[in-house]
Amino acid sequence: MIFINNLSYRYPNGTLALDSVDLHIRKGEFIAIAGKNGCGKSTLLRHINGLLVPCEGYVVVKGMDTSDTSHIQDIRRVAGMVFQDPESQFIGMTVEEDVAFGPENLGLPPEEIQNRVDSSLNIMGMMGQKNHTPRTLSGGQKQKVALASVLAMEPEVILFDEVTSMLDSMSRNDILLHVKQLHENKTTVVYVTHHLEELVYADRLVVMDKGRVIHDGNPRIILRQGNPLNLGIELPPVIELSRRLCDSGLITPAFFPLSVEELREVLCQLM
Amino acid sequence: MDSLFMSFVPGDSIIHRLDPRTKILGLMLASICIFYASSFEWIALIALVFVILILVCKLPLKHFVHSARPMILFFVILFLMQLLFTEGKPIFSSKWITISYEGLVLGTILTLRFIFLLLFAALLTTTTSPSKITAGIEKFLRPLPLKYMGISSHDLAMMMSMSIYFVPMMYDNFRNLKDAQLSRGLNIKKDPVKAIIALSVPLVSISVRAAEDVALAIESRCYKSTGRTSVHMMGLKKNDYICLFLYILLILFCIAY
Ligand SMILES: Nc1ncnc2c1ncn2[C@@H]1O[C@H](COP(=O)(O)OP(=O)(O)O)[C@@H](O)[C@H]1O
Ligand SMILES: [Mg+2]
């Protein structure tokens, strides 16, 4: 689905943000990307969305090279993106108009746009806020609208750039459940996150550091076996606890628990 | 706060449902009439039309008064200029100033004109969402030979709607920033110059960042300047034709008068 080959990118001011990244994202995968602030996660996503073009190497999305500008609209249509800041990704004055913006750009007829707007808002449970101003919504609601706006373009891949980092834990779980549901409905998910508890639904974890990929594999194996200092990311208390319980041989689960809920289940079975 | 200057209030009145083009034309006609209104009778007639329109669109008068409030200083200055600098029959005179009857009349009429101009504009913006306004403007611009000048009517309309969108956003940013700086001991009264710098410098950088972010969001959602469509099905309906008919009557009446 997405081939990233020997990708390097240097911002005009000289910062080397990506350093020979190789990544192959398969159709239907739920891939999580983690890493310290400034390690290049957003830069990588912007390449997949065609917002940035490689300085070196290439990115191919569904057979289309992102540096070929004639395909750029098709690439963005295949790979939609939800941004970190819920504030500054709204274009419409009302929720409905914002969701309609993408389909309007695709040049669809008004009835079709209306159908897509309604169905995406329904999926995200935001139909009741259709005529509200996005500015007046809560952070979680804003991100749901942002996600609905991307859904309305009917993308095959959705790129999430730390979408929950400005949300409280309730809205974070809510968004995550929606992401999981989209994945179950065959959407390929690329999910950048700081919160490793959110990896419970991911098939694969990529850890980045200083513009390079340093780990790529099953999240449960990486978090169980990887050296936390090497991961370059802070482990949440649950995962730290799971690791210690495993290390001391108290639990030997079939799969390594990543969330409070999973750890609880493992412990329940033990008792 | 949503009774911010000229903000849109969703609703379902006849005026809300009119085609944006009808309303834009109406505003143009109203502006022309207002500029030719040179007597109190005319102003009264315009006021009457405005009141009827407000009743029809079922919005509280308060909202419109609010939207005119930021301009009060401008109105006062306008009024005083006319009042003090118009020659004529004096009705009050002292060593420093002379107020003439003509000045009073002229000042009042001119100020009322500007107030009604603003109120009619507010009537358009409160009953029409900005994207419908821009869609309407875009339709008006389309026949112009803009594309030979390298400008697309969609780009122009997009720019307009983004600037409308940015005003409340900047205002929010400004308020947050002011709170942040006040809580860090900024004293606006004591040191206004420092306060202006402390507020404006970060506001500019915040705005630049916000603009960059929005630009990314626009690009990532496939914005293109040609071949766009609009979710708003534009089409003239019965009420639009009635309005257009009234406009023509109005124009004929004005020409004949
Ligand atoms: N627009 C930009 N101009 C210059 N440097 C940038 C820009 N955006 C990001 N960078 C730099 O590129 C590096 C990677 O940034 P980014 O991809 O945003 O990291 P992450 O999303 O993982 O926090 C950082 O060192 C950052 O300072
Ligand atoms: Mg980032």
Side-chain angles (χ1 to χ4, degrees), chain A residues 11 13 15 17 36-44 46 161-162:
Chain A
Y11 277 103
N13 68 2
T15 318
K36 281 199 272 263
N37 267 332
C39 70
K41 306 180 295 288
S42 302
T43 311
L44 180 64
R46 285 174 191 178
D161 191 358
E162 291 187 47

Side-chain angles (χ1 to χ4, degrees), chain B:
Chain B
M1 249 192 29
D2 255 42
S3 66
L4 206 62
F5 182 54
M6 293 203 164
S7 59
F8 169 54
V9 182
D12 197 33
S13 70
I14 298 175
I15 300 191
H16 278 90
R17 274 178 284 141
L18 282 178
D19 188 285
R21 287 168 292 177
T22 311
K23 288 188 267 192
I24 294 170
L25 268 184
L27 177 62
M28 288 177 179
L29 271 182
S31 320
I32 296 170
C33 292
I34 288 169
F35 267 105
Y36 282 103
S38 49
S39 69
F40 284 114
E41 290 85 355
W42 276 107
I43 301 268
L45 197 63
I46 287 167
L48 184 70
V49 172
F50 182 70
V51 169
I52 293 173
L53 289 176
I54 286 192
L55 291 179
V56 174
C57 76
K58 296 182 199 144
L59 288 174
L61 182 65
K62 209 176 73 200
H63 178 85
F64 295 94
V65 176
H66 275 294
S67 71
R69 219 165 38 185
M71 301 288 282
I72 283 180
L73 186 64
F74 170 74
F75 294 138
V76 169
I77 292 173
L78 194 71
F79 179 70
L80 289 179
M81 297 263 278
Q82 294 295 319
L83 189 66
L84 299 178
F85 300 119
T86 310
E87 312 258 304
K89 196 169 74 201
I91 50 172
F92 172 87
S93 135
S94 75
K95 205 160 96 190
W96 304 106
I97 51 170
T98 311
I99 293 173
S100 70
Y101 174 74
E102 281 82 358
L104 186 64
V105 172
L106 213 63
T108 313
I109 289 183
L110 193 70
T111 312
L112 283 175
R113 272 188 195 164
F114 271 97
I115 291 176
F116 277 107
L117 201 61
L118 191 75
L119 289 177
F120 274 94
L123 195 62
L124 172 71
T125 55
T126 37
T127 60
T128 322
S129 77
S131 79
K132 277 193 193 167
I133 297 179
T134 48
I137 292 176
E138 194 273 319
K139 278 263 163 88
F140 277 129
L141 293 175
R142 210 175 268 182
L144 297 182
L146 286 171
K147 63 169 180 280
Y148 301 108
M149 293 155 59
I151 307 169
S152 107
S153 55
H154 282 296
D155 280 348
L156 219 55
M158 185 76 195
M159 272 189 252
M160 280 186 237
S161 73
M162 285 320 292
S163 16
I164 299 174
Y165 177 77
F166 254 72
V167 173
M169 193 158 134
M170 294 267 289
Y171 184 70
D172 278 355
N173 284 336
F174 175 74
R175 265 196 324 201
N176 292 340
L177 201 64
K178 199 177 84 185
D179 291 347
Q181 304 287 41
L182 286 179
S183 75
R184 286 196 280 160
L186 179 77
N187 191 334
I188 295 179
K189 290 226 171 66
K190 216 174 91 194
D191 199 346
V193 176
K194 192 173 149 201
I196 289 174
I197 294 173
L199 291 176
S200 61
V201 171
L203 190 63
V204 168
S205 77
I206 289 174
S207 308
V208 169
R209 260 213 53 191
E212 280 174 356
D213 284 354
V214 172
L216 277 184
I218 289 175
E219 256 194 86
S220 84
R221 284 206 257 157
C222 295
Y223 177 73
K224 54 182 178 186
S225 47
T226 50
R228 290 191 83 224
T229 47
S230 170
V231 65
H232 302 297
M233 271 178 265
M234 267 198 274
L236 302 178
K237 299 196 197 74
K238 197 179 85 202
N239 285 334
D240 292 297
Y241 286 111
I242 295 176
C243 284
L244 293 178
F245 180 68
L246 289 177
Y247 295 166
I248 294 172
L249 279 188
L250 181 68
I251 294 170
L252 290 178
F253 176 75
C254 289
I255 294 173
Y257 196 67

